[in-house]
């Protein structure tokens, strides 16, 4: 059975969850997916670099007290040189899970580029490089005969991109509509329960749904990046995030909510990409009062969902988690499964 | 580009819809899925047999006045010998879409067997052979190095079986819950609107959702067969339909509906398969008053849906059509795409 060497770039919650899955569940996974995984390098801005070409002892790494760097482990160092590790390690697959600036896509964008240039497959959970340079990076991957996979960039481990390309193959996809941000969906539900926006956001923060600075959620810019990814990767049209009209939920009043309820509707923050009959494609992010029978109307709490409008099947909807460390780690795993299905790493 | 020869066994609405797709959209499909299809044989109990080994003129067949048999077409006859056509035609893939007895699985079960024995791949939309003999037929397919595909047996073209095996690969699936019958879901919605059961069923019949005899829908036996398929094909445990406790919706009273509404719940006919912590697997069909926040609570009208309970992703739900001629024809197409992806027909 093939064993794939992985380099983990960024060792936050998601990458740690993947390491735990590999450590704890490799026999089950080998049975289920037909290959094994071995981590040969880890880098993290706060923890340093760890390289063990024959396979890192994940027990030792995961047992490190929080904040203790890799310097005390064999093959460990407090220094970080991501480019050197990505280019020179014996990994076949680079797992990119850093904290990345959504405006510039960096440092993830460079990590992906270095990996592909040095003949390695890449999986990332970062929206930035996919939204800002997805087409360019996929071309680079094709040039080097490697895969660039990023299922987790839209709804964490809930399949959206591969659902469209594999489960709906043969359909013409005429449009995509989604609830793509769990924080705003949770907040909208609590507004409907009578809370103020401030109270609902505070509650979402306490539950761990919302960031300390919830602006990117509330004002729609997180959804905007995801809509840009859906436009290019599902609808085949590159639309830059700044070209997508984006309105968040902060303008929704208690009167709006009452009126919607009276009309049998419910407010949702909807990111959409629509192909009009004349063939042009438009993308948008804004709150919409959906009829109660709309497939997205019943999506409650922090759940995410996407509805595909297709020529042969009509509307098909996938819903599930849109965040979470294990859920997002599964997105990375699903990318590695896809790399394996497409012939596996030659490196 | 590879061209696959198809034999259509049964030429009702679903098979006609597939023939229309092949006739009208083959260039688009070739681009999208990487192969072409050619119908070389059609049989139908009412219409006879038509064989044209170089490819049937679908325009001529689809233009036949309703009820006119194949005898007047080149290669046509009013006689039907399905076994001879299945075994001896130059088809590589047999498309089985007959009217089949759900109790015995016949004649579909024999059609599938003859096709596999004679080295042909099979796609079917019939629940019967899958629920009653799925494991045996899959073994027969493996013996002959051919594929037996039946995505349409559960929710027509909405992907469920391949969603579980491909989109959730690597997850442990702990349970499956579904709304697997559009008629009963529509009727339950109208009961909640205040209609009587008789009136709601009559309305569903007028809209084309319900059969003239709605018993299999209302009493749950249609869902029971689908649950048996989910048990074996998703959860890996063969449970015969007759071993699944099955209760339909005819016992739900207006008081039940009022009580549910008062408690923030909604009645759904749920088919479920659950693995308990001790490792046993139980299957069941019965009405359940779901909390409004349950992922299946918002599934309205004739829509079907399945929620998978998984170890890594938690709950993931797919919803879409569960019936319809074009939608079910897409299930057949998706099976042929799967056969192609797995290496295509050697025949």
């Amino acid at each position: 059975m093939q064993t794939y060497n992985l380099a983990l770039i960024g060792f936050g919650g998601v990458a740690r969850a993947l390491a735990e899955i590999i450590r704890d569940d490799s026999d089950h996974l080998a049975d289920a997916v037909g290959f094994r995984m071995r981590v040969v390098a880890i880098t993290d801005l706060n923890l340093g670099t760890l390289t063990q070409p024959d396979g890192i002892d994940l027990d030792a790494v995961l047992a490190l007290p929080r904040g203790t760097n890799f310097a005390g482990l064999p093959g460990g160092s407090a220094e970080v040189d991501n480019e050197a590790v990505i280019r020179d390690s014996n990994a076949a697959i680079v797992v990119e899970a850093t904290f990345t600036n959504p405006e510039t896509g960096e440092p993830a964008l460079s990590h992906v580029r270095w990996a592909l240039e040095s003949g390695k497959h890449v999986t990332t959970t970062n929206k930035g490089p996919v939204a800002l340079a997805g087409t360019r990076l996929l071309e680079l991957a094709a040039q080097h005969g490697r895969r660039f996979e990023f299922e987790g960039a839209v709804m964490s481990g809930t399949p959206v991109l591969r659902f469209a390309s594999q489960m709906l193959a043969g359909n013409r996809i005429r449009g995509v509509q989604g609830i793509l941000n769990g924080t705003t969906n949770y907040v909208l539900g609590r507004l409907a329960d009578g809370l103020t926006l401030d109270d609902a956001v505070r509650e979402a923060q306490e539950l761990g749904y919302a960031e300390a600075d919830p602006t990117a959620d509330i004002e729609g810019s997180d959804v905007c990046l995801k809509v840009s990814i859906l436009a290019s990767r599902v609808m085949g049209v590159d639309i830059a995030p700044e070209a997508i009209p984006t309105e968040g939920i902060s303008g929704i009043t208690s009167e709006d909510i009452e009126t919607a309820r009276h009309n049998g509707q419910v407010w949702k923050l909807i990111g959409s990409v629509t192909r009009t009959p004349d063939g042009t494609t438009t993308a948008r992010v804004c709150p919409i009062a959906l009829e109660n029978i709309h497939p997205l109307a019943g999506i409650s709490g922090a759940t995410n969902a996407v509805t595909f409008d297709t020529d042969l099947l009509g509307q098909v909807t996938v819903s599930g988690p849109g965040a979470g460390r294990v859920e997002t780690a599964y997105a990375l795993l699903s990318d590695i499964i896809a790399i394996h299905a497409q012939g596996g790493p030659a490196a």
Side-chain angles (χ1 to χ4, degrees), chain A:
Chain A
M1 185 174 290
Q2 180 142 23
T3 297
Y4 295 152
N5 287 344
L6 310 183
L8 308 185
I9 309 303
F11 200 58
V14 170
R16 294 179 80 92
L18 180 64
E20 287 165 7
I21 292 168
I22 293 171
R23 179 191 63 178
D24 298 339
D25 222 10
S26 61
D27 289 344
H28 160 70
L29 277 177
D31 277 354
V33 300
F35 60 85
R36 290 183 176 274
M37 291 167 284
R38 177 166 61 191
V39 179
V40 295
I42 303 175
T43 71
D44 186 274
L45 213 54
N46 298 314
L47 302 174
T49 300
L50 181 61
T51 53
Q52 296 176 10
D54 295 331
I56 287 171
D57 176 356
L58 293 174
D59 263 333
V61 175
L62 291 164
L64 277 181
R66 190 160 285 273
T68 303
N69 70 28
F70 295 147
L73 295 174
S77 146
E79 307 297 310
V80 178
D81 181 343
N82 281 323
E83 182 166 3
V85 171
I86 290 170
R87 290 191 186 274
D88 302 336
S89 84
N90 65 328
I93 301 175
V94 169
V95 177
E96 207 294 327
T98 59
F99 294 99
T100 279
N101 181 333
E103 309 272 313
T104 65
E106 293 293 357
L109 210 159
S110 294
H111 297 162
V112 174
R113 189 163 52 76
W114 296 332
L116 295 172
E117 284 173 356
S118 60
K120 297 172 177 76
H121 302 276
V122 186
T123 162
T124 186
T125 58
N126 270 308
K127 295 180 293 289
V130 188
L132 302 174
T135 299
R136 187 153 48 88
L137 292 169
L138 283 165
E139 285 167 3
L140 185 66
Q143 277 167 29
H144 290 270
R146 295 297 179 273
R147 304 291 312 180
F148 172 41
E149 299 285 343
F150 41 79
E151 183 65 70
V154 183
M155 297 209 312
S156 79
T158 305
V160 179
L161 302 176
R162 271 192 286 272
F163 187 88
S165 65
Q166 294 180 18
M167 296 291 105
L168 300 177
N171 278 280
R172 287 182 182 84
I173 298 178
R174 298 179 294 209
V176 186
Q177 284 187 296
I179 293 173
L180 299 167
N181 183 278
T183 301
T184 44
N185 203 54
Y186 180 83
V187 166
L188 285 170
R190 296 300 279 151
L191 294 184
D193 292 338
L195 267 66
T196 66
L197 182 65
D198 283 351
D199 286 346
V201 169
R202 194 170 309 116
E203 194 178 87
Q205 287 168 327
E206 285 164 11
L207 289 165
Y209 298 147
E211 307 283 334
D213 177 0
T215 313
D217 294 331
I218 299 301
E219 297 306 339
S221 63
D222 172 70
V223 175
C224 175
L225 286 178
K226 293 169 178 172
V227 166
S228 174
I229 295 172
L230 291 173
S232 55
R233 307 280 66 93
V234 174
M235 305 290 289
V237 179
D238 279 356
I239 305 179
E242 60 269 24
I244 298 174
T246 297
E247 179 189 342
I249 64 168
S250 58
I252 296 178
T253 66
S254 54
E255 288 75 31
D256 294 333
I257 287 170
E258 211 32 65
T259 305
R261 194 196 319 267
H262 183 261
N263 294 335
Q265 298 170 329
V266 55
W267 284 99
K268 295 292 181 188
L269 181 61
I270 298 295
S272 64
V273 188
T274 310
R275 187 159 287 139
T276 53
D278 69 0
T280 59
T281 301
T282 57
R284 185 155 187 201
V285 179
C286 64
I288 299 182
L290 298 178
E291 302 297 322
N292 277 336
I293 59 165
H294 190 286
L296 297 177
I299 303 299
S300 64
T303 304
N304 285 19
V306 165
T307 298
F308 299 91
D309 182 26
T310 70
D311 63 340
L312 300 177
L313 283 179
Q315 289 187 323
V316 179
T317 302
V318 182
S319 67
R325 53 191 287 280
V326 176
E327 294 85 345
T328 310
Y330 177 73
L332 296 168
L333 176 59
S334 77
D335 283 348
I336 297 169
I337 292 170
I339 291 167
H340 174 72
Q342 283 141 356

